[in-house]
Amino acid sequence: MPHPLVSQQMIDTYQADGVVLVKGLFADHVDQLRDGVAVNMADPGPYASENKKAGETGRFFDDYCNWTRIPQFRDVIETSPAAEVAADLMQSRRVQMFHDHVLVKEPGTSMATPWHQDGPYYFVEGQQTISFWSPLDPVRQATLRCVAGSHRWEKEVLPTRWVSEDGFFPDEGQYIPVPDPDAEGMKVIEFEMEPGDAVAFNYRTLHGARGNQSDSRRRAFSLRLVGDDARYVERPGRTSPPFPGHDMTPGQRLREDWFPILLQRQAGSEPLT
Ligand SMILES: O=C(O)CCC(=O)C(=O)O
């Protein structure tokens, strides 16, 4: 049986569309996550950035890979139902930590999060991947937007730098150009969400978000996990996140001392649907 937050229909939707809403995934952890975001913003890590193009208003802060130093994040990762839900949606026996990401758009932030797939920035290959994007404030217009079925596209979308819009890697040949899903009539899935709800999406799902023109903050916590078929893959340059000194080789599972196993279901104990 899947976790009570998950239905068979959600599993089917996740597999077919690469995106599904998980109502209340972090509902019991909203205050803890807000505290963690406050700690993170007061004491940013080495990868923190302020995403601002010339002429943009507001503040768009993001930072990642802080769960080992921010106890609130570690506790949520270890005690919330995220790993169980991830196993069900990915149809994976194993769930392994990848990293956390905080994205805050203060009121009046004009900058949109550009359309992108996360996969091409990462050194991870595989279809059993999942990112949980959870707002810590109610979201309407500044919610996450995902293109249904894009996780099955044959070629990856060109990864770019969010502010300069330059290609992220020197070699751009192997990617398709960044589409404009609204103009191109693609099926864009988005939800009005309450704090602690989560959008689950595959690393290859094309997604983006509008700026935050509302008068309240839009704090979001993202948790990235991987499943059975995830393997280390070499990219044409430094990945994001980079994890310097990781020492992994192509085809290897992610090293468990850096990316701990959060859940391992025994064969036969949890019938796959
Ligand atoms: O919060 C946002 O604006 C974008 C989030 C995102 O791109 C992600 O979580 O991968």
Side-chain angles (χ1 to χ4, degrees), residues 12-20 146-151 187 189 205:
D12 295 345
T13 301
Y14 189 71
Q15 295 293 325
D17 288 351
V19 52
V20 77
C146 297
V147 174
S150 48
H151 66 310
K187 184 176 171 193
I189 311 274
T205 298

Side-chain angles (χ1 to χ4, degrees), residues 2 18 78 154 202:
E78 291 175 351
E154 207 164 301
N202 186 291

Side-chain angles (χ1 to χ4, degrees), residues 18-90:
V19 52
V20 77
L21 178 67
V22 185
K23 282 294 290 177
L25 178 66
F26 298 115
D28 295 338
H29 300 273
V30 171
D31 287 340
Q32 214 177 356
L33 289 171
R34 286 177 178 159
D35 288 350
V37 169
V39 171
N40 196 161
M41 293 184 81
D43 180 18
Y47 304 124
S49 63
E50 302 282 342
N51 302 286
K52 201 163 199 166
K53 294 182 190 170
E56 299 274 8
T57 59
R59 181 183 186 202
F60 178 6
F61 167 92
D62 87 289
D63 197 4
Y64 52 27
C65 305
N66 290 298
W67 70 275
T68 54
R69 73 179 182 98
I70 298 185
Q72 290 91 339
F73 292 165
R74 180 190 282 269
D75 191 65
V76 171
I77 291 161
E78 291 175 351
T79 65
S80 76
E84 294 281 353
V85 170
D88 292 332
L89 294 178
M90 292 192 290

